Coordinates of all heavy atoms in Angstrom, one line a residue:
R122 N 3.9 -50.4 56.8 CA 3.4 -50.6 58.1 C 3.2 -52.1 58.4 O 2.6 -52.5 59.3 CB 2.2 -49.8 58.4 CG 2.5 -48.3 58.4 CD 1.3 -47.5 58.6 NE 1.8 -46.1 58.4 CZ 1.4 -45.3 57.5 NH1 0.5 -45.6 56.6 NH2 1.9 -44.1 57.4
G123 N 3.7 -52.9 57.4 CA 3.7 -54.3 57.7 C 2.5 -55.1 57.2 O 2.3 -56.3 57.7
M124 N 1.7 -54.6 56.4 CA 0.5 -55.4 55.9 C 0.2 -55.0 54.5 O 0.5 -53.9 54.0 CB -0.7 -55.2 56.8 CG -1.3 -53.8 56.8 SD -2.7 -53.7 57.8 CE -2.9 -51.9 57.9
Q125 N -0.4 -55.9 53.8 CA -0.9 -55.7 52.4 C -2.4 -55.8 52.5 O -2.9 -56.7 53.2 CB -0.3 -56.6 51.4 CG 1.1 -56.4 51.1 CD 1.6 -57.4 50.1 OE1 1.2 -58.5 49.9 NE2 2.6 -56.9 49.3
V126 N -3.1 -55.0 51.7 CA -4.6 -55.1 51.7 C -5.1 -55.1 50.3 O -4.3 -54.8 49.3 CB -5.2 -53.8 52.4 CG1 -4.8 -53.8 53.9 CG2 -4.9 -52.5 51.7
A127 N -6.3 -55.5 50.1 CA -6.9 -55.6 48.8 C -8.3 -55.1 48.8 O -9.0 -55.2 49.9 CB -6.9 -57.1 48.3
Q128 N -8.8 -54.7 47.7 CA -10.2 -54.3 47.5 C -11.1 -55.5 47.7 O -10.7 -56.6 47.4 CB -10.4 -53.8 46.1 CG -11.8 -53.3 45.8 CD -12.2 -52.1 46.4 OE1 -11.4 -51.1 46.5 NE2 -13.4 -52.0 46.9
I129 N -12.2 -55.3 48.4 CA -13.2 -56.4 48.6 C -14.0 -56.6 47.3 O -14.7 -55.7 46.8 CB -14.1 -56.1 49.8 CG1 -13.3 -56.0 51.0 CG2 -15.2 -57.2 49.9 CD1 -14.1 -55.5 52.3
T130 N -13.8 -57.8 46.7 CA -14.6 -58.2 45.5 C -15.4 -59.4 45.9 O -15.2 -60.0 47.0 CB -13.6 -58.6 44.4 OG1 -12.8 -59.7 44.9 CG2 -12.7 -57.5 44.0
N131 N -16.2 -59.9 45.0 CA -17.0 -61.1 45.3 C -16.1 -62.3 45.6 O -16.4 -63.1 46.5 CB -18.0 -61.4 44.1 CG -19.1 -60.4 44.1 OD1 -19.5 -59.8 45.1 ND2 -19.7 -60.2 42.9
E132 N -15.1 -62.4 44.8 CA -14.1 -63.5 45.0 C -13.5 -63.4 46.4 O -13.3 -64.4 47.1 CB -13.0 -63.5 43.9 CG -12.0 -64.6 44.0 CD -11.0 -64.5 42.9 OE1 -11.4 -64.6 41.7 OE2 -9.8 -64.4 43.2
I133 N -13.0 -62.2 46.7 CA -12.4 -62.0 48.1 C -13.4 -62.3 49.2 O -13.1 -62.9 50.2 CB -11.8 -60.6 48.2 CG1 -10.7 -60.3 47.2 CG2 -11.5 -60.2 49.6 CD1 -9.3 -60.9 47.7
M134 N -14.6 -61.9 49.0 CA -15.7 -62.2 50.0 C -15.8 -63.7 50.2 O -16.0 -64.1 51.4 CB -17.0 -61.5 49.5 CG -17.0 -60.0 49.6 SD -18.6 -59.3 49.0 CE -19.7 -59.8 50.4
Q135 N -15.8 -64.4 49.1 CA -16.0 -65.9 49.3 C -14.7 -66.5 49.9 O -14.8 -67.3 50.8 CB -16.2 -66.5 47.9 CG -17.6 -66.2 47.4 CD -17.8 -66.8 46.0 OE1 -16.8 -67.1 45.3 NE2 -19.0 -67.0 45.6
Q136 N -13.5 -66.1 49.5 CA -12.3 -66.6 49.9 C -12.1 -66.4 51.4 O -11.7 -67.3 52.1 CB -11.1 -66.0 49.2 CG -9.8 -66.5 49.6 CD -8.6 -65.9 48.8 OE1 -8.8 -65.2 47.8 NE2 -7.4 -66.3 49.1
Y137 N -12.4 -65.2 51.9 CA -12.2 -64.9 53.3 C -13.5 -64.9 54.2 O -13.4 -64.5 55.3 CB -11.5 -63.5 53.4 CG -10.1 -63.5 52.9 CD1 -9.9 -63.0 51.6 CD2 -9.0 -63.9 53.6 CE1 -8.6 -63.0 51.1 CE2 -7.8 -63.9 53.1 CZ -7.5 -63.4 51.9 OH -6.2 -63.4 51.4
R138 N -14.6 -65.3 53.5 CA -15.9 -65.4 54.2 C -16.3 -64.0 54.8 O -16.7 -63.9 56.0 CB -15.9 -66.5 55.3 CG -15.7 -67.8 54.7 CD -15.9 -68.9 55.7 NE -15.1 -68.6 56.9 CZ -14.4 -69.5 57.6 NH1 -14.3 -70.7 57.2 NH2 -13.8 -69.1 58.7
I139 N -16.2 -63.0 54.0 CA -16.5 -61.6 54.4 C -17.9 -61.3 54.0 O -18.3 -61.7 52.9 CB -15.5 -60.6 53.7 CG1 -14.1 -60.9 54.2 CG2 -16.0 -59.2 54.0 CD1 -13.1 -60.1 53.3
T140 N -18.7 -60.7 54.8 CA -20.1 -60.3 54.5 C -20.3 -58.9 54.1 O -21.3 -58.5 53.5 CB -21.0 -60.7 55.6 OG1 -20.6 -60.0 56.8 CG2 -21.0 -62.2 55.9
Q141 N -19.3 -58.0 54.4 CA -19.4 -56.6 54.1 C -18.8 -56.3 52.8 O -17.8 -56.9 52.4 CB -18.9 -55.7 55.2 CG -17.4 -55.8 55.4 CD -17.0 -55.0 56.7 OE1 -17.1 -55.6 57.8 NE2 -16.6 -53.8 56.5
H142 N -19.3 -55.3 52.1 CA -18.8 -54.9 50.8 C -17.8 -53.7 50.9 O -17.0 -53.5 50.0 CB -19.9 -54.5 49.8 CG -20.8 -55.6 49.5 ND1 -20.6 -56.5 48.6 CD2 -22.0 -56.0 50.1 CE1 -21.5 -57.4 48.5 NE2 -22.4 -57.1 49.5
E143 N -17.9 -52.9 51.9 CA -17.0 -51.7 52.1 C -15.8 -52.0 52.9 O -15.8 -52.8 53.8 CB -17.8 -50.6 52.7 CG -18.9 -50.0 51.8 CD -19.5 -48.8 52.3 OE1 -19.3 -48.4 53.5 OE2 -20.2 -48.1 51.5
G144 N -14.7 -51.3 52.6 CA -13.5 -51.4 53.3 C -12.4 -52.2 52.4 O -12.6 -52.3 51.2
V145 N -11.3 -52.6 53.1 CA -10.3 -53.4 52.4 C -10.0 -54.6 53.3 O -10.2 -54.5 54.5 CB -9.0 -52.6 52.1 CG1 -9.3 -51.5 51.1 CG2 -8.4 -52.0 53.4
V146 N -9.6 -55.6 52.7 CA -9.2 -56.8 53.5 C -7.7 -57.0 53.5 O -7.0 -56.7 52.6 CB -9.9 -58.1 52.8 CG1 -9.4 -58.4 51.5 CG2 -9.7 -59.3 53.7
V147 N -7.3 -57.4 54.7 CA -5.8 -57.7 54.9 C -5.5 -59.0 54.3 O -6.1 -60.0 54.6 CB -5.5 -57.7 56.4 CG1 -4.0 -58.0 56.6 CG2 -5.8 -56.4 57.1
I148 N -4.5 -59.0 53.3 CA -4.2 -60.3 52.7 C -2.8 -60.8 53.0 O -2.4 -61.9 52.7 CB -4.3 -60.1 51.1 CG1 -3.4 -59.0 50.6 CG2 -5.7 -59.9 50.7 CD1 -3.3 -59.0 49.1
D149 N -2.0 -59.9 53.7 CA -0.7 -60.4 54.2 C -0.3 -59.5 55.4 O -0.5 -58.3 55.4 CB 0.3 -60.3 53.1 CG 1.7 -60.9 53.5 OD1 1.6 -62.0 54.1 OD2 2.7 -60.4 53.1
V150 N 0.4 -60.1 56.4 CA 0.9 -59.4 57.5 C 2.4 -59.8 57.7 O 2.7 -61.0 57.8 CB 0.1 -59.6 58.8 CG1 0.8 -58.9 60.0 CG2 -1.3 -59.3 58.6
A151 N 3.3 -58.8 57.7 CA 4.7 -59.1 57.8 C 5.1 -59.5 59.3 O 4.5 -58.9 60.2 CB 5.6 -58.0 57.4
P152 N 5.9 -60.5 59.4 CA 6.3 -60.9 60.8 C 7.0 -59.7 61.5 O 7.8 -58.9 60.8 CB 7.3 -62.0 60.6 CG 7.1 -62.5 59.2 CD 6.5 -61.3 58.4
D153 N 6.8 -59.6 62.8 CA 7.5 -58.5 63.6 C 7.2 -57.1 63.1 O 8.0 -56.2 63.4 CB 9.0 -58.8 63.7 CG 9.3 -60.1 64.3 OD1 8.6 -60.5 65.3 OD2 10.2 -60.8 63.8
S154 N 6.1 -56.9 62.4 CA 5.7 -55.6 61.9 C 4.8 -54.9 62.9 O 4.2 -55.5 63.8 CB 5.0 -55.7 60.6 OG 3.8 -56.3 60.7
P155 N 4.6 -53.6 62.8 CA 3.7 -52.9 63.6 C 2.2 -53.5 63.5 O 1.5 -53.5 64.4 CB 3.7 -51.4 63.1 CG 5.1 -51.3 62.6 CD 5.4 -52.6 62.0
A156 N 1.9 -53.9 62.3 CA 0.6 -54.5 62.0 C 0.4 -55.8 62.8 O -0.6 -56.0 63.5 CB 0.4 -54.8 60.5
Q157 N 1.4 -56.6 62.8 CA 1.4 -57.9 63.6 C 1.3 -57.6 65.1 O 0.6 -58.2 65.8 CB 2.6 -58.8 63.3 CG 2.4 -60.2 64.0 CD 3.6 -61.0 63.7 OE1 4.8 -60.6 63.9 NE2 3.4 -62.3 63.4
E158 N 2.1 -56.7 65.5 CA 2.2 -56.3 66.9 C 0.8 -55.7 67.4 O 0.4 -55.9 68.5 CB 3.3 -55.3 67.2 CG 4.7 -55.9 67.1 CD 5.8 -54.9 67.2 OE1 5.5 -53.7 67.6 OE2 6.9 -55.3 66.9
A159 N 0.1 -55.1 66.5 CA -1.2 -54.6 66.8 C -2.3 -55.6 66.7 O -3.5 -55.4 67.0 CB -1.6 -53.4 65.8
G160 N -2.0 -56.9 66.3 CA -2.9 -58.0 66.3 C -3.7 -58.1 65.0 O -4.7 -58.8 64.9
I161 N -3.3 -57.4 64.0 CA -4.0 -57.4 62.7 C -3.6 -58.8 62.0 O -2.5 -59.2 62.1 CB -3.6 -56.3 61.8 CG1 -4.0 -55.0 62.4 CG2 -4.1 -56.4 60.4 CD1 -3.5 -53.7 61.8
A162 N -4.6 -59.4 61.5 CA -4.4 -60.7 60.9 C -5.0 -60.8 59.5 O -5.9 -60.0 59.1 CB -5.1 -61.8 61.8
I163 N -4.5 -61.8 58.7 CA -5.1 -62.0 57.4 C -6.6 -62.3 57.5 O -7.0 -63.0 58.3 CB -4.3 -63.1 56.7 CG1 -2.8 -62.8 56.4 CG2 -5.0 -63.6 55.4 CD1 -2.0 -63.9 56.0
G164 N -7.3 -61.6 56.6 CA -8.8 -61.8 56.6 C -9.5 -60.7 57.3 O -10.7 -60.6 57.2
D165 N -8.8 -59.9 58.1 CA -9.4 -58.8 58.8 C -9.8 -57.7 57.8 O -9.2 -57.5 56.8 CB -8.5 -58.2 59.8 CG -8.2 -59.0 61.1 OD1 -8.9 -60.0 61.2 OD2 -7.3 -58.7 61.8
V166 N -10.9 -57.0 58.1 CA -11.4 -56.0 57.2 C -11.2 -54.6 57.9 O -11.6 -54.4 59.1 CB -12.9 -56.1 56.9 CG1 -13.4 -54.9 56.1 CG2 -13.1 -57.4 56.1
I167 N -10.6 -53.7 57.2 CA -10.4 -52.3 57.7 C -11.4 -51.5 57.0 O -11.5 -51.3 55.8 CB -9.0 -51.8 57.3 CG1 -7.9 -52.7 58.0 CG2 -8.8 -50.4 57.7 CD1 -6.5 -52.4 57.6
D168 N -12.3 -50.9 57.9 CA -13.4 -50.0 57.3 C -13.3 -48.6 57.8 O -14.1 -47.7 57.4 CB -14.7 -50.6 57.6 CG -15.1 -50.7 59.0 OD1 -14.3 -50.4 59.9 OD2 -16.2 -51.2 59.3
R169 N -12.3 -48.3 58.7 CA -12.1 -46.9 59.2 C -10.6 -46.8 59.5 O -9.9 -47.7 59.9 CB -12.8 -46.6 60.4 CG -14.3 -46.4 60.2 CD -15.0 -45.7 61.3 NE -16.4 -45.5 61.0 CZ -16.9 -44.4 60.4 NH1 -16.0 -43.5 60.1 NH2 -18.1 -44.3 60.1
I170 N -10.0 -45.6 59.2 CA -8.7 -45.2 59.5 C -8.7 -43.9 60.2 O -9.2 -42.9 59.6 CB -7.7 -45.2 58.3 CG1 -7.6 -46.6 57.8 CG2 -6.4 -44.6 58.7 CD1 -6.7 -46.7 56.5
N171 N -8.3 -43.8 61.4 CA -8.3 -42.5 62.2 C -9.6 -41.9 62.1 O -9.8 -40.7 61.9 CB -7.2 -41.6 61.7 CG -5.8 -42.2 62.0 OD1 -5.7 -43.3 62.4 ND2 -4.8 -41.4 61.6
N172 N -10.7 -42.7 62.2 CA -12.1 -42.3 62.3 C -12.6 -41.8 60.9 O -13.7 -41.2 60.8 CB -12.3 -41.2 63.3 CG -13.7 -41.3 64.0 OD1 -14.2 -42.4 64.0 ND2 -14.2 -40.2 64.5
Y173 N -11.9 -42.0 59.8 CA -12.4 -41.7 58.5 C -12.8 -43.0 57.8 O -12.1 -44.1 57.9 CB -11.3 -41.1 57.6 CG -11.0 -39.7 58.0 CD1 -9.9 -39.4 58.9 CD2 -11.7 -38.6 57.6 CE1 -9.5 -38.1 59.3 CE2 -11.4 -37.3 58.0 CZ -10.3 -37.1 58.8 OH -10.0 -35.8 59.2
R174 N -13.9 -43.0 57.2 CA -14.5 -44.2 56.6 C -13.6 -44.7 55.4 O -13.2 -43.9 54.6 CB -15.9 -43.9 56.1 CG -16.7 -45.1 55.8 CD -18.2 -44.6 55.6 NE -19.0 -45.8 55.4 CZ -20.3 -45.7 55.2 NH1 -20.9 -44.6 55.3 NH2 -21.0 -46.8 55.0
V175 N -13.4 -46.0 55.3 CA -12.7 -46.6 54.2 C -13.7 -47.4 53.4 O -14.2 -48.5 53.9 CB -11.5 -47.5 54.7 CG1 -10.9 -48.2 53.5 CG2 -10.5 -46.6 55.4
R176 N -14.1 -47.0 52.2 CA -15.1 -47.7 51.4 C -14.4 -48.6 50.4 O -15.0 -49.5 49.9 CB -16.1 -46.7 50.8 CG -16.9 -46.0 51.7 CD -17.9 -45.1 51.0 NE -18.7 -44.3 51.9 CZ -18.5 -43.0 52.2 NH1 -17.6 -42.3 51.5 NH2 -19.3 -42.4 53.0
S177 N -13.2 -48.1 50.0 CA -12.6 -48.8 48.8 C -11.0 -48.7 49.0 O -10.5 -48.1 49.9 CB -12.9 -48.1 47.5 OG -12.4 -46.7 47.6
M178 N -10.4 -49.4 48.1 CA -8.9 -49.3 48.0 C -8.4 -47.9 47.8 O -7.4 -47.5 48.5 CB -8.4 -50.2 46.9 CG -6.9 -50.5 46.9 SD -6.5 -51.4 48.4 CE -4.8 -51.6 48.1
Q179 N -9.1 -47.1 47.0 CA -8.7 -45.7 46.8 C -8.8 -44.9 48.1 O -7.9 -44.1 48.4 CB -9.6 -45.1 45.7 CG -9.1 -43.7 45.3 CD -7.6 -43.7 44.8 OE1 -7.3 -44.4 44.0 NE2 -6.8 -42.8 45.4
D180 N -9.8 -45.1 48.9 CA -9.9 -44.4 50.2 C -8.8 -44.8 51.0 O -8.2 -44.0 51.7 CB -11.2 -44.8 50.9 CG -12.5 -44.2 50.3 OD1 -12.4 -43.3 49.4 OD2 -13.6 -44.7 50.7
Y181 N -8.4 -46.1 51.1 CA -7.3 -46.6 51.9 C -6.0 -45.9 51.5 O -5.3 -45.4 52.3 CB -7.2 -48.1 51.8 CG -6.0 -48.7 52.6 CD1 -6.2 -49.0 53.9 CD2 -4.8 -48.9 52.0 CE1 -5.1 -49.5 54.6 CE2 -3.7 -49.4 52.7 CZ -3.9 -49.7 54.0 OH -2.8 -50.2 54.7
I182 N -5.7 -45.9 50.2 CA -4.5 -45.3 49.7 C -4.5 -43.8 50.0 O -3.4 -43.3 50.5 CB -4.4 -45.5 48.1 CG1 -4.1 -47.0 47.9 CG2 -3.3 -44.7 47.5 CD1 -4.3 -47.4 46.4
T183 N -5.6 -43.1 49.8 CA -5.6 -41.7 50.1 C -5.4 -41.4 51.6 O -4.5 -40.5 51.9 CB -7.0 -41.1 49.7 OG1 -7.2 -41.3 48.3 CG2 -7.1 -39.6 50.0
L184 N -6.0 -42.1 52.4 CA -5.9 -41.9 53.9 C -4.5 -42.3 54.4 O -3.9 -41.5 55.2 CB -6.9 -42.7 54.6 CG -8.4 -42.1 54.5 CD1 -9.4 -43.1 55.0 CD2 -8.5 -40.8 55.2
T185 N -4.0 -43.4 54.0 CA -2.7 -43.8 54.5 C -1.5 -43.0 53.9 O -0.5 -42.9 54.6 CB -2.4 -45.3 54.2 OG1 -2.5 -45.6 52.8 CG2 -3.4 -46.2 54.9
S186 N -1.7 -42.4 52.8 CA -0.6 -41.5 52.2 C -0.5 -40.2 53.0 O 0.5 -39.6 53.0 CB -0.9 -41.2 50.8 OG -2.0 -40.3 50.6
K187 N -1.5 -39.9 53.8 CA -1.5 -38.7 54.6 C -1.0 -38.9 56.0 O -0.9 -37.9 56.8 CB -2.9 -38.1 54.7 CG -3.4 -37.6 53.3 CD -4.9 -37.1 53.5 CE -5.4 -36.7 52.1 NZ -6.8 -36.3 52.2
I188 N -0.7 -40.1 56.4 CA -0.3 -40.5 57.7 C 1.2 -40.8 57.8 O 1.6 -41.7 56.9 CB -1.2 -41.6 58.2 CG1 -2.6 -41.2 58.2 CG2 -0.7 -42.0 59.6 CD1 -3.6 -42.4 58.5
S189 N 1.9 -40.3 58.7 CA 3.3 -40.6 58.8 C 3.6 -41.5 60.0 O 2.8 -41.5 61.0 CB 4.1 -39.3 58.9 OG 3.8 -38.6 60.1
G190 N 4.7 -42.3 59.9 CA 5.1 -43.1 61.0 C 4.0 -44.2 61.3 O 3.4 -44.7 60.4
N191 N 3.9 -44.4 62.6 CA 2.9 -45.5 63.0 C 1.6 -44.9 63.6 O 1.0 -45.4 64.5 CB 3.6 -46.4 64.1 CG 4.7 -47.2 63.5 OD1 4.6 -47.6 62.3 ND2 5.7 -47.5 64.2
A192 N 1.2 -43.7 63.1 CA 0.1 -43.0 63.6 C -1.2 -43.6 63.0 O -2.3 -43.1 63.3 CB 0.2 -41.5 63.3
L193 N -1.2 -44.6 62.3 CA -2.3 -45.2 61.6 C -3.1 -45.9 62.7 O -2.6 -46.8 63.5 CB -1.9 -46.3 60.6 CG -2.9 -47.0 59.9 CD1 -3.6 -46.1 58.9 CD2 -2.3 -48.2 59.1
M194 N -4.4 -45.6 62.8 CA -5.3 -46.2 63.8 C -6.5 -46.8 63.0 O -7.6 -46.2 62.9 CB -5.8 -45.2 64.8 CG -4.6 -44.7 65.7 SD -5.1 -43.6 67.0 CE -6.2 -44.6 67.9
P195 N -6.4 -48.0 62.5 CA -7.5 -48.6 61.8 C -8.5 -49.2 62.7 O -8.2 -49.6 63.8 CB -6.8 -49.7 61.0 CG -5.7 -50.2 61.8 CD -5.2 -48.9 62.5
R196 N -9.8 -49.2 62.2 CA -10.8 -50.0 62.9 C -10.9 -51.3 62.2 O -11.1 -51.3 61.0 CB -12.2 -49.3 62.9 CG -13.2 -50.1 63.7 CD -14.5 -49.4 63.8 NE -15.3 -49.6 62.6 CZ -16.5 -49.2 62.4 NH1 -17.1 -48.5 63.3 NH2 -17.1 -49.4 61.3
I197 N -10.8 -52.4 62.9 CA -10.7 -53.7 62.3 C -11.9 -54.5 62.6 O -12.4 -54.5 63.7 CB -9.5 -54.5 62.8 CG1 -8.2 -53.7 62.7 CG2 -9.3 -55.9 62.2 CD1 -7.7 -53.5 61.3
N198 N -12.5 -55.1 61.6 CA -13.5 -56.1 61.8 C -12.8 -57.5 61.7 O -12.3 -57.9 60.6 CB -14.6 -56.0 60.7 CG -15.4 -54.7 60.9 OD1 -15.7 -54.4 62.0 ND2 -15.7 -54.0 59.8
I199 N -12.8 -58.2 62.8 CA -12.0 -59.4 62.9 C -12.5 -60.5 62.0 O -13.7 -60.7 61.9 CB -12.0 -59.9 64.4 CG1 -11.5 -58.9 65.3 CG2 -11.2 -61.2 64.5 CD1 -10.1 -58.4 65.1
A200 N -11.6 -61.2 61.4 CA -11.9 -62.3 60.5 C -12.6 -63.4 61.2 O -12.4 -63.6 62.4 CB -10.6 -62.9 59.8
P201 N -13.6 -64.1 60.5 CA -14.3 -65.2 61.2 C -13.4 -66.3 61.6 O -12.4 -66.6 61.1 CB -15.3 -65.6 60.2 CG -14.9 -65.0 58.9 CD -14.0 -63.9 59.2

């Protein structure tokens, strides 16, 4: 879907100036991808997908594996 995410760690929190511990952080967005078209940017935190809570990378993988096409509706906390 045009983006790569990573588990939020202390190092990631410092690097991207993130204050929350739950969710995953966007570390790459492909040009001309659905993610870019949706306004997702590097450093954004995804903490919900289709109204399901994302606490960790495992939650993200589990939820996204159940979604086909571009039906992914993440809740994004915008990077500072």
Side-chain angles (χ1 to χ4, degrees):
R122 295 178 184 117
M124 66 180 167
Q125 291 183 328
V126 298
Q128 178 72 39
I129 297 175
T130 63
N131 288 336
E132 182 179 300
I133 292 280
M134 289 177 72
Q135 289 178 339
Q136 181 179 355
Y137 293 98
R138 297 186 313 223
I139 297 168
T140 57
Q141 67 186 84
H142 297 277
E143 290 188 348
V145 294
V146 64
V147 177
I148 59 170
D149 189 40
V150 178
D153 301 318
S154 66
Q157 185 184 48
E158 290 173 12
I161 296 172
I163 293 171
D165 289 349
V166 173
I167 298 173
D168 64 1
R169 287 194 177 273
I170 294 177
N171 296 3
N172 215 26
Y173 291 96
R174 197 168 182 178
V175 175
R176 294 183 182 106
S177 65
M178 190 68 177
Q179 186 59 51
D180 287 348
Y181 178 85
I182 292 167
T183 300
L184 289 168
T185 57
S186 70
K187 296 177 182 178
I188 300 169
S189 62
N191 291 329
L193 179 72
M194 294 181 63
R196 182 175 82 177
I197 308 293
N198 292 317
I199 304 300

